[in-house]
Amino acid sequence: MDTPVPPPTERAARRRDRHGRGMRGPLAPPQVPLSVSRSDAFDDLVRDAAERLERRWPQLAEVEFAVQDVPPPTPDLAETDVVPLGQLITAGASGKGPRNRIVVYRRPVEIRAKGRDERALLVHEVVVEQVAELLGLSPENVDPRYGEE
């Protein structure tokens, strides 16, 4: 007499590892991400820098902050050896165009920074410089701690 074979899902549920211990629990609690990609971590750095400045300058709530991997190729970029770390894209003069936008370029910043702390500081400085350009102020007036760290 043949014994029925349980469906695959039941077999997997009863399966034990080679030491007979069975399935182990999750590696991390559900609310903790197991891994964060480099680009996600960089996005978080830009978001943190923007939120820090928005507390001091409420008009930045209307500014869009974005991250791109590399700057787009332009004739100006081909003539110089300087690669920009960020860019301010202003709205149209009529005000009917898109919102003001600050773009931080991920790869050039990552190449210049040696570690996570240095990367966070560089991202913050790039965001402060672009906000200063937008507001027509010096970076030191936008963030008094600019350049100190």
Side-chain angles (χ1 to χ4, degrees):
M1 182 175 209
D2 292 331
T3 57
V5 177
T9 55
E10 287 181 30
R11 273 188 280 158
R14 284 191 269 157
R15 187 174 188 176
R16 296 185 175 273
D17 67 2
R18 65 187 179 130
H19 300 290
R21 285 184 244 157
M23 298 296 292
R24 294 185 178 202
L27 294 175
Q31 66 272 17
V32 177
L34 289 178
S35 67
V36 177
S37 69
R38 285 188 348 209
S39 63
D40 289 342
F42 192 87
D43 291 349
D44 290 341
L45 292 175
V46 172
R47 189 175 304 111
D48 292 343
E51 288 172 356
R52 184 172 154 187
L53 291 175
E54 282 178 8
R55 286 190 291 259
R56 183 176 166 107
W57 302 95
Q59 62 265 38
L60 293 179
E62 300 299 319
V63 176
E64 179 182 340
F65 291 88
V67 174
Q68 289 183 355
D69 283 340
V70 293
T74 61
D76 299 339
L77 199 57
E79 293 175 9
T80 64
D81 291 336
V82 178
V83 177
L85 302 179
Q87 179 181 10
L88 169 65
I89 302 169
T90 56
S94 63
K96 294 181 180 177
R99 302 180 344 183
N100 290 327
R101 184 174 196 199
I102 293 176
V103 180
V104 180
Y105 300 116
R106 182 175 67 87
R107 294 294 297 145
V109 170
E110 286 179 340
I111 289 170
R112 284 173 180 78
K114 291 183 176 91
R116 178 166 167 72
D117 293 338
E118 191 175 326
R119 188 177 314 121
L121 179 62
L122 186 56
V123 165
H124 181 70
E125 287 183 355
V126 169
V127 172
V128 167
E129 290 167 0
Q130 300 306 317
V131 167
E133 185 178 337
L134 175 67
L135 299 176
L137 301 170
S138 69
E140 292 81 12
N141 289 341
V142 172
D143 185 4
R145 295 187 302 180
Y146 173 80
E148 288 181 5
E149 300 168 24

